[in-house]
Amino acid sequence: IGRVLVLDRIALDAGIEVTDNELRKLIRDGGYIVLAKSKDLPAGMMGDFFFQVPAFADSATYAQALQSAGTSDKEFREALRTMLRVQRYEAMLSVVSQPDGATIEKAWKERHKQHSFDVVAFNIETAKTAAATEMPDELGLIAWHEQMDPARKRSMFQEQWTPERASAELVVWRSGDAVPGALLAKYPRAAGTDLEKLAHDYYDRFAHLRFRRATEKTDAANDFDKVYQSFDEVAEQARAESQGHAAIVDMQADMQARLQKGEAVDWAGETAALGLTLETVAAPLTQQEWTDDPKLGDSNLSDQLMRAARGDKFIALVVGTKQLVFGHVLEHSVAGAPPFTVVREACVDAWLADKATELATAQAKAFVESLKSAEAVPGAAPTAECAVFAEKAQAVNASVVATGWIDAGKLPEDFAANADDAQRFAVELSAGARVALTSAENAVLGPLPSGDRSRLFVVRHVGVREPEKVAIEPKDYGEIERQATYERYRETREGLVSPAALSAKYGVEFPSRKDKDAPPAPKS
């Protein structure tokens, strides 16, 4: 904030201004204000700051937004004017000279450095032969299945997973049906109730569900009237439905109270006596099946029903587009993993893969440990010359393959079916093994798992060199030019308007909120 205030003063001195018409257009149409940040700001605050100004459709909406924000029209406009001035001033700094050919060539060479690696791969599929000799008996495999991490179990057995299901009895009053007289007689409105207000309140609360137009009204005065029927258009329906709704609210409250006391409720008898319909869905359905049901389907109902299934089984009243519904859950089954008998073969495969990975990992780690010298710094990657690396690999029955020189700017994205381990590892450099590109010469890294989890790689970084030829393609040139221009802009901006630059030039300070005041000098 302090930096913006200082830059605004500098922008004013430079003659930058924002007109009232520009402010009105921004407030009416909305838009973004982009303020650049500085590299010497605290960690996590890099990058540009984007402030979105929403589009205000009318003056009433604008006034309401200002009131909610606790500000005035004048204060808001001046804040926008300040940020727009700073944005324009910072945009002036983006006019920098284009990078020359030498700069482009240097950047291209940096991107296309060539790396070479010696690779030792430990094949997990091959290790399954040894893993099979340690396969547990049936009880052991069942225990392993039971102790499996829940998230992994869900991922592995997604197709066989048992979804949550529930069945229910539902009391229904459908749209268009007359309000049953027996219902109103059993649960009447209290004497003195303002029925007109009851109708208006019902309309205001449920118009979006009950009174949507079949087709939009093109000549409507506002967006609401375009989509929904006005109260005057549905007044009689709203008056009838509001009393029916209020009576059903009382009915469900009465039945729920009796159930909570442990009393029996005759759902079928009471529903029929009051002129309503009881729908029984005996076969448990998933939440999605409840939503998609052609007769009762409603996302609000399915959500309320499943919440009730996990609780007291009473389904509170739901007002939908088709009907008003409440009821109780008959049967509920929670989601869960399939039984072991259904997924036994998958468990065998998974156990073998886990054990083979464990064996291959132990072999790979032992290989890496064998390369560490007595003087090695704890936790640091070991280093090895070519001959030593090959000798230690041979000691663990592994072979070394060389990648040759790989262009870091053109890493392969895939390998052929008959690719060797060096070609496979080259693909990994663009993903999980990219750290190898920044390792020191002769550094040994690993075990590094392949993306398909079929191998573990231990690699030695043979070295890095500049590309033998410079071959800049037009698309590369344009991208590098844009990046170099942006970097030069950042450097220019940092030198002129970063907190450090402003402090040096104008003597202003930007103390951190974490900075502590200096202790007072001791009294003499």
Side-chain angles (χ1 to χ4, degrees):
I1 293 172
R3 182 169 172 271
V4 168
L5 293 175
V6 173
L7 291 180
D8 182 46
R9 187 59 174 267
I10 297 172
L12 279 169
D13 291 345
I16 295 174
E17 195 45 89
V18 177
T19 67
D20 290 341
N21 284 337
E22 289 173 315
L23 285 179
R24 279 194 290 270
K25 185 176 187 305
L26 178 62
I27 292 171
R28 184 186 68 240
D29 301 336
Y32 285 91
I33 299 176
V34 183
L35 302 181
K37 288 186 177 178
S38 172
K39 70 180 182 183
D40 60 359
L41 288 173
M45 294 181 65
M46 282 293 290
D48 293 333
F49 170 72
F50 294 86
F51 177 75
Q52 182 179 9
V53 182
F56 296 101
D58 50 60
S59 58
T61 305
Y62 177 60
Q64 184 179 5
L66 292 176
Q67 184 178 7
S68 299
T71 191
S72 67
D73 173 58
K74 181 179 179 181
E75 290 172 332
F76 183 61
R77 286 173 183 264
E78 287 309 307
L80 290 183
R81 200 188 301 270
T82 293
M83 287 191 285
L84 284 172
R85 274 196 298 259
V86 173
Q87 176 180 259
R88 289 182 177 178
Y89 178 69
E90 290 187 325
M92 289 171 56
L93 302 180
S94 64
V95 183
V96 296
S97 60
Q98 297 298 302
D100 56 23
T103 302
I104 299 291
E105 181 175 321
K106 181 181 177 182
W108 186 89
K109 286 182 177 180
E110 187 64 30
R111 289 187 178 194
H112 290 270
K113 283 184 176 179
Q114 295 180 341
H115 298 258
S116 179
F117 297 92
D118 283 340
V119 178
V120 174
F122 296 86
N123 193 309
I124 292 173
E125 193 65 33
T126 302
K128 286 183 179 180
T129 302
T133 63
E134 301 184 38
M135 174 69 70
D137 59 17
E138 197 72 2
L139 291 178
L141 198 58
I142 292 172
W144 178 84
H145 168 260
E146 294 299 322
Q147 294 166 9
M148 187 184 293
D149 177 74
R152 183 188 180 194
K153 187 179 287 189
R154 181 62 183 264
S155 176
M156 279 184 59
F157 307 129
Q158 185 68 42
E159 293 184 2
Q160 299 92 347
W161 203 262
T162 304
E164 181 181 26
R165 286 188 169 90
S167 58
E169 280 187 328
L170 302 171
V171 178
V172 181
W173 177 40
R174 288 196 165 82
S175 173
D177 290 353
V179 181
L183 174 67
L184 297 177
K186 178 72 181 288
Y187 299 103
R189 296 304 88 214
T193 297
D194 186 340
L195 296 182
E196 193 66 14
K197 182 178 183 303
L198 184 71
H200 276 277
D201 289 345
Y202 178 81
Y203 173 85
D204 291 342
R205 188 176 176 187
F206 299 114
H208 66 292
L209 293 169
R210 307 296 300 137
F211 305 120
R212 189 180 184 96
R213 296 186 187 278
T215 57
E216 290 189 359
K217 185 179 180 182
T218 56
D219 60 346
N222 53 59
D223 289 341
F224 184 87
D225 290 343
K226 183 187 296 184
V227 179
Y228 303 104
Q229 295 171 286
S230 67
F231 180 82
D232 291 340
E233 292 176 273
V234 295
E236 290 306 314
Q237 182 183 352
R239 292 183 183 110
E241 283 195 18
S242 64
Q243 294 184 54
H245 171 262
I248 292 177
V249 169
D250 290 347
M251 176 186 175
Q252 64 137 24
D254 174 34
M255 297 176 80
Q256 186 176 23
R258 283 184 280 144
L259 288 168
Q260 290 173 344
K261 293 177 182 178
E263 299 178 13
V265 169
D266 180 5
W267 288 86
E270 292 187 33
T271 301
L274 297 178
L276 300 173
T277 302
L278 185 70
E279 297 282 358
T280 301
V281 180
L285 305 178
T286 66
Q287 182 164 349
Q288 189 59 53
E289 288 170 340
W290 273 110
T291 299
D292 296 339
D293 184 86
K295 193 174 184 180
L296 297 165
D298 183 288
S299 59
N300 291 329
L301 172 61
S302 64
D303 186 56
Q304 180 82 335
L305 190 149
M306 286 302 179
R307 282 205 302 270
R310 303 173 199 124
D312 64 1
K313 313 304 181 190
F314 190 87
I315 305 166
L317 181 63
V318 176
V319 177
T321 57
K322 301 176 183 177
Q323 65 262 317
L324 279 66
V325 182
F326 77 93
H328 70 122
V329 174
L330 296 173
E331 183 181 341
H332 175 233
S333 60
V334 299
F340 173 76
T341 53
V342 174
V343 294
R344 183 186 182 283
E345 291 307 312
C347 286
V348 170
D349 291 341
W351 188 94
L352 279 173
D354 283 3
K355 190 63 179 179
T357 301
E358 178 187 323
L359 296 176
T361 301
Q363 189 181 14
K365 287 183 175 180
F367 173 50
V368 174
E369 287 296 321
S370 72
L371 294 166
K372 292 182 178 180
S373 64
E375 299 80 20
V377 178
T383 59
E385 297 292 338
C386 177
V388 175
F389 191 74
E391 177 188 341
K392 296 295 185 181
Q394 188 175 10
V396 294
N397 297 318
S399 57
V400 179
V401 290
T403 62
W405 293 104
I406 302 171
D407 186 337
K410 293 183 178 180
L411 296 174
E413 297 180 356
D414 203 355
F415 51 81
N418 61 345
D420 63 15
D421 291 325
Q423 293 167 323
R424 288 173 175 268
F425 176 73
V427 173
E428 299 298 331
L429 285 171
S430 63
R434 193 170 187 84
V435 64
L437 296 174
T438 58
S439 60
E441 185 174 323
N442 288 329
V444 176
L445 292 88
L448 303 172
S450 64
D452 61 3
R453 301 291 172 180
S454 67
R455 285 163 173 74
L456 295 168
F457 295 109
V458 175
V459 300
R460 183 180 77 92
H461 193 182
V462 175
V464 59
R465 71 181 188 185
E466 284 195 347
E468 294 179 320
K469 295 181 180 180
V470 176
I472 305 178
E473 298 179 3
K475 64 176 183 178
D476 293 334
Y477 188 95
E479 182 183 345
I480 294 172
E481 184 182 46
R482 286 190 296 273
Q483 182 64 30
T485 301
Y486 179 72
E487 290 301 325
R488 184 166 294 183
Y489 157 62
R490 297 278 294 190
E491 291 171 4
T492 303
R493 192 183 69 199
E494 289 296 316
L496 293 175
V497 296
S498 68
L502 294 174
S503 296
K505 187 172 183 179
Y506 299 102
V508 295
E509 295 182 4
F510 301 92
S512 166
R513 65 178 64 187
K514 294 183 180 179
D515 289 349
K516 296 181 180 179
D517 294 334
K523 294 181 180 179
S524 57

